[in-house]
């Protein structure tokens, strides 16, 4: 199966991607940084730079990958305070993740629909999804 992992180098994705590869899936993993492309390749996945908050970037990345399934693992943890959440000011440090879970999810679902992907999963409870088993 061709699996597209949005947020493949993040807190959640970097653990998921190698497991998917080990199970024989063809994985495309996104990163926001060209500096992380090598680490994605070392995990056995195809790397692609994508901005989850940019609908065009998301659409182009999904179209290039031609996935069967999209898995949303994007967070803004590395965007806020260099990966160290400031729990005293949670409202401020959570903004990037909230945007990725709302706007980013909308972009992924639109790209999935535009490219014919029938299964999309997010990491949040009751997250957006298109068809297929939960």
């Amino acid at each position: 199966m061709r699996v597209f992992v949005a947020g493949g180098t993040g807190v959640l994705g970097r653990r998921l991607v190698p497991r998917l590869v080990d199970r024989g899936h063809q994985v495309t993993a996104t990163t926001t940084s060209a500096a992380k492309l090598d680490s994605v390749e070392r995990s056995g996945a195809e790397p692609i730079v994508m901005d989850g908050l940019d609908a065009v970037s998301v659409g182009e990345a999904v179209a290039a990958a031609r996935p069967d399934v999209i898995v949303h693992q994007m967070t803004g943890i590395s965007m806020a305070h260099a990966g160290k959440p400031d729990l005293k000011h949670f409202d401020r440090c959570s903004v990037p993740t909230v945007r990725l879970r709302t706007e980013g999810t909308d972009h992924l679902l639109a790209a999935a629909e535009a490219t014919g992907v029938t299964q999309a999963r997010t990491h949040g409870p009751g997250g957006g999804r298109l068809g297929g088993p939960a």
Side-chain angles (χ1 to χ4, degrees):
M1 183 177 297
R2 290 187 316 266
V3 181
F4 183 91
V5 179
T9 59
V11 172
L12 304 170
R14 68 176 169 242
R15 291 176 174 88
L16 175 62
V17 169
R19 291 179 178 162
L20 290 169
V21 170
D22 288 347
R23 287 174 174 80
H25 298 293
Q26 179 184 338
V27 179
T28 299
T30 73
T31 179
T32 58
S33 169
K36 294 182 181 179
L37 294 174
D38 287 341
S39 69
V40 173
E41 286 180 342
R42 284 192 302 274
S43 73
E46 180 71 27
I48 191 163
V49 174
M50 181 187 86
D51 177 352
L53 297 175
D54 179 335
V56 173
S57 177
V58 173
E60 290 174 349
V62 172
R66 300 180 351 259
D68 300 307
V69 175
I70 296 174
V71 181
H72 180 344
Q73 297 293 298
M74 294 185 293
T75 69
I77 293 172
S78 65
M79 297 164 64
H81 307 290
K84 298 176 184 174
D86 179 4
L87 298 179
K88 285 180 108 176
H89 302 100
F90 185 75
D91 57 331
R92 281 185 262 162
C93 74
S94 65
V95 169
T97 295
V98 170
R99 286 191 65 209
L100 285 166
R101 290 187 181 166
T102 54
E103 294 171 45
T105 298
D106 289 345
H107 297 325
L108 285 170
L109 292 172
E113 187 173 355
T115 58
V117 176
T118 58
Q119 295 187 50
R121 298 285 179 261
T122 65
H123 49 64
R129 66 179 163 229
L130 299 173

